[in-house]
Amino acid sequence: MNNDSEQQQQNGAGCMERSMLKLGPFEPHSPGGYGEQYGYPSPVTPVTPNTPLVCYTSKNRVLRPGVNRKYRKRAILKNGDCNVVLSRPPRQHLRFLQDIFTTLVDAQWRWTLLVFAFSFIGSWLFFGVIWWLISYTHGDLEELHLPDNQSEIGWIPCVYNIYSFTSAFLFSIETQHTIGYGVRTTTEECPEAIFVMCFQSIYGLMIQAFMVGIVFAKMTRPKQRSQTLLFSKNAVVCQRDGELCLMFRVGDMRKSHIIGASVRAQLIRTKTTREGETMAQYQHELDVGSDGSSSELFFIWPQIVVHRIDKDSALYNLSASDMLRERFEIVVILEGTVESTGQSTQARSSYVNTEILWGHRFEPVVCYNKEQQGYEINYSKFDSTLQVDTPLCSARELSEFYRAQDDYRSTTGKGFPTNDCVSL
């Protein structure tokens, strides 16, 4: 321990014993993690037996020197929503009104239902005013021409049993929805009344079909299907067949499968070109696959998607400590066709540097159940990982070490006595 830690122990705060520290990166806000116990929001670095510890007296933090303590702002949230805000787009309201159907489908339910209600109420009031004007101009609302006196004087109105605007409003509702109570009906006296009745009937069918279509499309959106497509909370980095691999797990909670499922991954980070141009959101495509296959998945149970960190990978030069200091985001996208509806769906998630566990691998979640005579998926272990020995150096340094080891063996017939890459 250094002088600062000794002073902290003297003050009664004290540093935690090394045996109490977890190995490898971890979530600072995970239950029981140091973030909740000591009340700081910044990421914590991996701690190994050879890692020098620094204890700060102002805040009880155990960090390795030189670590970036800022979170990277996400482009894709963990629930798959894009963290993008439009700022002053030209003619925004006009463009949205031109595509009113998509606007209402994308809107929140309260706005859609509000438009649904006002579209009907507004049409009832509009045509109610028209029916009242027709009766008023024809003289049906005069005291001598009211329905109680029509049989005595032989007056034929445009619409029977219209007393006031309330009667006209009720007749508007009956006409638009073809209720037909039989009390208020049109006559042959007014041609304009016959025309308005036909027009309102056609308009009522159109607006009803339009609003029902919006509600149906909103309820059956493929986006809702993506809510049952799961991504692991963390991604992991460990060795597979001697190569460092970045892995994350995907799963589907429904029995109806995703047909033609494919997965993609992109690394978003800042890049500076040779000309000095800085591209803050440069996207590197990561080559991913599952179980030795391509990006196409046979998605009948949870799959571990693997990105081999080889010389063509954008992560080739990143070691464990570099991955904690670098500011980047890995966006993962799962696409496919819903078996039950035939609609295409897309699920998204992302991982920032503090959500990548170096030196971990996922626990198995699929086993054969003899009682049920089928494969059982234990989703309680979907995010569970196991700590494994993994070199902390970059994939490039590990490849150079293995190459030098092979050259040494070919010349002397002996191997290196120790591994220069420190393992957890």
Side-chain angles (χ1 to χ4, degrees):
M1 294 291 181
N2 52 23
N3 295 332
D4 292 339
S5 62
E6 293 177 358
Q7 183 179 359
Q8 187 176 3
Q9 289 180 352
Q10 295 174 0
N11 293 336
C15 293
M16 294 181 294
E17 296 180 0
R18 188 179 299 275
S19 59
M20 298 172 61
L21 300 177
K22 296 181 180 180
L23 296 180
F26 56 90
E27 277 276 321
H29 296 295
S30 60
Y34 301 122
E36 291 185 359
Q37 297 179 17
Y38 296 96
Y40 56 84
S42 59
V44 182
T45 63
V47 181
T48 66
N50 298 324
T51 303
L53 301 181
V54 177
C55 295
Y56 295 86
T57 57
S58 60
K59 296 181 180 180
N60 294 327
R61 316 173 73 173
V62 181
L63 298 174
R64 191 169 60 192
V67 174
N68 186 359
R69 299 177 178 84
K70 294 182 180 179
Y71 280 110
R72 166 136 169 76
K73 300 178 179 63
R74 290 182 180 273
I76 302 296
L77 303 179
K78 294 298 286 185
N79 61 359
D81 293 337
C82 296
N83 190 20
V84 178
V85 178
L86 302 179
S87 177
R88 293 179 293 180
R91 303 169 62 188
Q92 176 183 6
H93 299 289
L94 179 60
R95 294 177 185 273
F96 281 10
L97 289 176
Q98 289 176 347
D99 188 13
I100 187 63
F101 185 86
T102 305
T103 301
L104 292 178
V105 170
D106 291 339
Q108 296 180 350
W109 269 106
R110 59 175 176 266
W111 300 114
T112 302
L113 295 178
L114 188 65
V115 172
F116 185 90
F118 274 96
S119 62
F120 282 104
I121 295 175
S123 63
W124 297 338
L125 290 173
F126 174 75
F127 283 101
V129 172
I130 293 180
W131 287 115
W132 182 84
L133 290 175
I134 290 176
S135 299
Y136 180 79
T137 55
H138 189 256
D140 298 338
L141 300 180
E142 296 180 5
E143 186 175 357
L144 294 177
H145 298 161
L146 290 177
D148 296 337
N149 303 323
Q150 290 175 0
S151 59
E152 298 178 0
I153 63 175
W155 179 263
I156 301 177
C158 293
V159 180
Y160 284 121
N161 293 313
I162 295 295
Y163 291 89
S164 61
F165 176 76
T166 304
S167 302
F169 178 74
L170 293 175
F171 181 70
S172 173
I173 298 176
E174 296 174 18
T175 302
Q176 183 165 327
H177 296 282
T178 62
I179 296 176
Y181 289 122
V183 177
R184 281 171 284 271
T185 58
T186 56
T187 64
E188 300 178 357
E189 183 70 18
C190 305
E192 62 272 17
I194 299 175
F195 173 78
V196 171
M197 181 185 65
C198 296
F199 181 77
Q200 186 176 3
S201 300
I202 297 174
Y203 177 81
L205 291 175
M206 291 178 60
I207 191 173
Q208 187 170 356
F210 181 76
M211 296 308 302
V212 169
I214 289 176
V215 174
F216 179 79
K218 194 173 182 65
M219 295 180 62
T220 60
R221 281 186 303 175
K223 183 179 180 181
Q224 305 300 330
R225 178 62 174 88
S226 65
Q227 302 301 318
T228 53
L229 297 176
L230 305 179
F231 292 90
S232 59
K233 182 180 180 181
N234 298 98
V236 299
V237 174
C238 65
Q239 280 187 294
R240 270 197 177 184
D241 298 327
E243 293 182 319
L244 286 178
C245 296
L246 172 73
M247 295 179 286
F248 59 92
R249 182 144 59 189
V250 295
D252 188 2
M253 297 177 60
R254 291 189 180 274
K255 291 185 177 180
S256 59
H257 304 302
I258 300 296
I259 303 174
S262 62
V263 63
R264 295 173 51 203
Q266 288 186 338
L267 175 68
I268 302 177
R269 67 175 178 181
T270 303
K271 178 184 178 180
T272 302
T273 64
R274 297 179 181 178
E275 295 77 15
E277 178 186 1
T278 301
M279 295 180 287
Q281 291 83 29
Y282 188 81
Q283 300 180 9
H284 302 262
E285 190 74 23
L286 300 181
D287 188 15
V288 295
S290 176
D291 296 335
S293 61
S294 62
S295 59
E296 299 289 335
L297 304 179
F298 183 49
F299 206 23
I300 60 174
W301 47 49
Q303 297 277 353
I304 296 178
V305 182
V306 181
H307 166 65
R308 296 190 178 275
I309 308 177
D310 52 18
K311 61 181 180 179
D312 297 326
S313 173
L315 306 174
Y316 190 56
N317 296 318
L318 294 183
S319 63
S321 58
D322 294 335
M323 189 165 290
L324 285 172
R325 287 194 297 265
E326 287 284 337
R327 300 179 60 187
F328 63 86
E329 180 180 1
I330 298 177
V331 177
V332 293
I333 305 170
L334 178 64
E335 296 176 321
T337 303
V338 182
E339 184 181 30
S340 55
T341 62
Q343 293 179 313
S344 298
T345 186
Q346 182 184 91
R348 300 180 295 265
S349 186
S350 69
Y351 303 98
V352 294
N353 56 348
T354 56
E355 296 170 342
I356 299 177
L357 307 180
W358 192 288
H360 287 248
R361 89 166 44 120
F362 288 106
E363 289 190 32
V365 296
V366 181
C367 63
Y368 187 78
N369 191 322
K370 294 183 180 180
E371 297 180 357
Q372 298 182 359
Q373 296 294 311
Y375 286 92
E376 181 181 356
I377 303 173
N378 186 2
Y379 274 100
S380 64
K381 296 183 178 181
F382 186 79
D383 296 319
S384 301
T385 60
L386 298 172
Q387 187 174 334
V388 293
D389 291 336
T390 304
L392 294 178
C393 58
S394 64
R396 179 183 59 81
E397 294 171 340
L398 184 62
S399 178
E400 292 175 354
F401 171 78
Y402 285 150
R403 190 181 303 112
Q405 191 179 41
D406 293 338
D407 293 342
Y408 181 80
R409 286 176 177 174
S410 62
T411 56
T412 63
K414 300 179 180 179
F416 286 162
T418 58
N419 191 335
D420 290 344
C421 291
V422 181
S423 300
L424 291 176

